Amino acid sequence: MTTNIYLDIDGVIVANDNNAANYAAEFIEYVLTHYPDSTYWLTTHCQGDASRPIRDVRHLFDVKTIEYMKKIKSTIWLESPNKTSAIDFTKTFLWFDDNCFYGEKQELIKHNALDNWIKVDLNKDPNQLHKFIQSFPLPL
């Protein structure tokens, strides 16, 4: 069964305007190697245009990582700010994001999928992406 992977940018693969998150390149490579056809941007950087996130962060990554990023598909979600409107709840998924708003949590709960949101907290653990590579979360 295919698992969809949804990726936020700020606070997940980018630590701040000037720095990629620790192990972000390795994390992106891992995800795109294992989920090449089912990885999606779920970020304000992308509303239907998968090239925009790359333009926004390309200065932080090497050419190899940018090539992996080109495989990531776009999403479109309503400005609620409910990113979960772009999640396909008919498929298994993991959503890597540093924040989940109240409405998004309620939507995840409604679909019995709250555990599929993988909270990324780079302030608490700057090497969290490396830990995900070593022990990748499994969707419920």
Side-chain angles (χ1 to χ4, degrees), residues 67-112:
E67 288 304 310
Y68 277 111
M69 286 181 180
K70 289 179 180 177
K71 297 178 184 180
I72 302 174
K73 296 170 178 51
S74 65
T75 56
I76 297 174
W77 43 277
L78 304 174
E79 297 287 337
S80 356
N82 194 350
K83 292 181 186 177
T84 52
S85 65
I87 292 175
D88 182 350
F89 287 102
T90 66
K91 297 181 179 172
T92 59
F93 72 92
L94 293 172
W95 172 29
F96 293 86
D97 204 317
D98 63 321
N99 193 16
C100 186
F101 292 107
Y102 177 80
E104 295 167 337
K105 273 188 185 170
Q106 294 308 307
E107 190 70 15
L108 291 171
I109 291 168
K110 176 177 135 184
H111 290 280
N112 197 29

Side-chain angles (χ1 to χ4, degrees), residues 23-93:
Y23 300 99
E26 295 87 348
F27 176 74
I28 289 166
E29 181 177 351
Y30 180 92
V31 169
L32 273 297
T33 298
H34 290 84
Y35 304 93
D37 300 318
S38 59
T39 300
Y40 298 85
W41 293 118
L42 193 55
T43 174
T44 56
H45 292 265
C46 177
Q47 283 284 32
D49 180 3
S51 66
R52 182 173 167 227
I54 296 168
R55 285 192 309 269
D56 291 350
V57 302
R58 77 176 319 125
H59 65 286
L60 301 174
F61 293 96
D62 61 21
V63 173
K64 179 181 176 185
T65 304
I66 297 299
E67 288 304 310
Y68 277 111
M69 286 181 180
K70 289 179 180 177
K71 297 178 184 180
I72 302 174
K73 296 170 178 51
S74 65
T75 56
I76 297 174
W77 43 277
L78 304 174
E79 297 287 337
S80 356
N82 194 350
K83 292 181 186 177
T84 52
S85 65
I87 292 175
D88 182 350
F89 287 102
T90 66
K91 297 181 179 172
T92 59
F93 72 92

